[in-house]
Amino acid sequence: MQIGAQLYSAHKRLKTLEDLDAGLKKVADIGYRSVQISGVCAYEPEWMRDKLQENGLTCAITHIALDRIMNDAENLIKEHEVFGCKNIGIGMMPKTMRGTMEGYIEFRDMLITAGKKFKDLGVTLHYHNHQFEFDLLEGKTMMERLIEDIPEDILEFTLDLGWADAAGADVLKLIDTLKGRISRVHLKDYLPLPTDRVLEPQTAVYLRPIYEGQVDYDAIIKALEPAGVKYMLVEQDHCYGEDEFDCLRRSYESVVSRFPHTK
């Protein structure tokens, strides 16, 4: 099981190829050996292949727009083959589909269609949760419905441990429920919103580097490996003016000092 960096954590500083080149070097210099490619500027797959190799990095997973997953799967997968990635994720359910059973069914059916196609093409489709998946929808949460309704062999979950915790889920129970279909997870930590100042940008919780918040990562990380997790990807969506790469460094050092085998 290896710790990795979700590049979305530094998305504001990865808007050009020059910046992305420098950013990949920075995460490698911290000690990361794997990344999630998400929220960065456009790139050619051959460029990404070369830069990953140059920095001793591998791509654990990407997040790709739902429209492209549904309508351009073959080309998308060919591009990922160039830089050695066989795991492609959907970052979020479209807002227009949330909150109703009709919207849920539409999204579920899209995931089933895409998941079957991806499986046939030798690639794994993933879905990444936020907090809203734990809201009740006609007696069950959307997360419960997705787990029950979609076969294990066509969809994995990039379980975001911080958002699940913030939603009030029993994270250890959830990890056990998803055993075998969470090869990639997100490490995210948070505190309650400060009362003495307003965060910019305004967020639902105060996002922090791992082990600087309130999530019980000692217990969680111990539970991940038996559940089949291969990559723990640090994601801090916002740093509120702090240096994004310094936040990634603090997360890395805090995790590997406690779990050295995850380097």
Side-chain angles (χ1 to χ4, degrees):
M1 186 168 68
Q2 185 178 78
I3 188 171
Q6 187 353 2
L7 295 181
Y8 185 80
S9 302
H11 65 279
K12 295 176 182 177
R13 297 176 61 183
L14 302 174
K15 299 299 187 184
T16 68
L17 283 177
E18 183 180 8
D19 291 340
L20 181 54
D21 187 3
L24 289 169
K25 186 177 187 306
K26 286 178 181 179
V27 298
D29 287 346
I30 289 168
Y32 289 104
R33 292 293 171 258
S34 56
V35 294
Q36 175 176 337
I37 300 172
S38 178
V40 304
C41 66
Y43 56 86
E44 293 296 327
E46 293 80 8
W47 183 95
M48 183 57 71
R49 175 199 62 206
D50 294 346
K51 293 302 177 182
L52 291 174
Q53 291 176 355
E54 199 175 291
N55 289 287
L57 295 167
T58 59
C59 178
I61 188 173
T62 65
H63 275 173
I64 301 294
L66 179 60
D67 179 69
R68 188 148 193 234
I69 285 172
M70 297 304 300
N71 299 309
D72 195 24
E74 289 86 355
N75 288 326
L76 179 63
I77 290 169
K78 286 178 182 176
E79 292 171 7
H80 279 63
E81 286 175 351
V82 173
F83 55 91
C85 181
K86 288 185 172 293
N87 294 268
I88 299 174
I90 296 169
M92 184 183 290
M93 180 186 191
K95 290 182 180 180
T96 56
M97 297 181 187
R98 299 179 205 167
T100 67
M101 185 58 70
E102 292 77 14
Y104 166 74
I105 291 171
E106 181 183 1
F107 185 60
R108 177 202 65 193
D109 291 349
M110 293 173 80
L111 290 178
I112 291 172
T113 298
K116 288 179 177 177
K117 188 166 191 175
F118 274 41
K119 181 185 176 184
D120 290 343
L121 294 170
V123 174
T124 302
L125 181 68
H126 299 246
Y127 178 69
H128 167 259
N129 66 278
H130 290 76
Q131 288 175 274
F132 67 85
E133 289 88 352
F134 297 92
D135 295 339
L136 284 176
L137 180 63
E138 297 191 14
K140 290 184 179 181
T141 68
M142 185 182 129
M143 197 69 175
E144 289 172 320
R145 293 185 181 279
L146 289 173
I147 293 168
E148 293 172 3
D149 292 353
I150 302 181
E152 294 183 16
D153 63 338
I154 64 170
L155 183 73
E156 283 199 24
F157 292 85
T158 307
L159 180 61
D160 191 303
L161 300 156
W163 287 138
D165 186 89
D170 183 333
V171 176
L172 294 178
K173 182 179 179 181
L174 188 58
I175 291 168
D176 186 62
T177 298
L178 288 169
K179 185 180 296 183
R181 60 191 307 192
I182 48 170
S183 63
R184 282 98 174 121
V185 299
H186 280 181
L187 303 184
K188 179 179 276 104
D189 213 343
Y190 70 94
L191 290 170
L193 293 174
T195 58
D196 59 343
R197 63 191 178 99
V198 176
L199 298 176
E200 293 295 342
Q202 296 182 38
T203 48
V205 293
Y206 183 24
L207 298 166
R208 306 304 302 140
I210 309 305
Y211 280 102
E212 295 184 25
Q214 65 186 39
V215 180
D216 183 5
Y217 273 111
D218 281 346
I220 287 173
I221 292 175
K222 288 175 184 175
L224 293 178
E225 202 150 24
V229 174
K230 296 179 180 178
Y231 293 96
M232 309 180 298
L233 299 149
V234 173
E235 181 179 56
Q236 186 175 342
D237 306 52
H238 301 288
C239 294
Y240 316 104
E242 292 185 73
D243 182 272
E244 292 88 349
F245 293 102
D246 185 60
C247 288
L248 283 170
R249 177 192 59 77
R250 283 148 53 194
S251 289
Y252 176 87
E253 291 177 353
S254 292
V255 173
V256 301
S257 67
R258 293 167 173 85
F259 298 93
H261 70 286
T262 64
K263 288 184 181 180

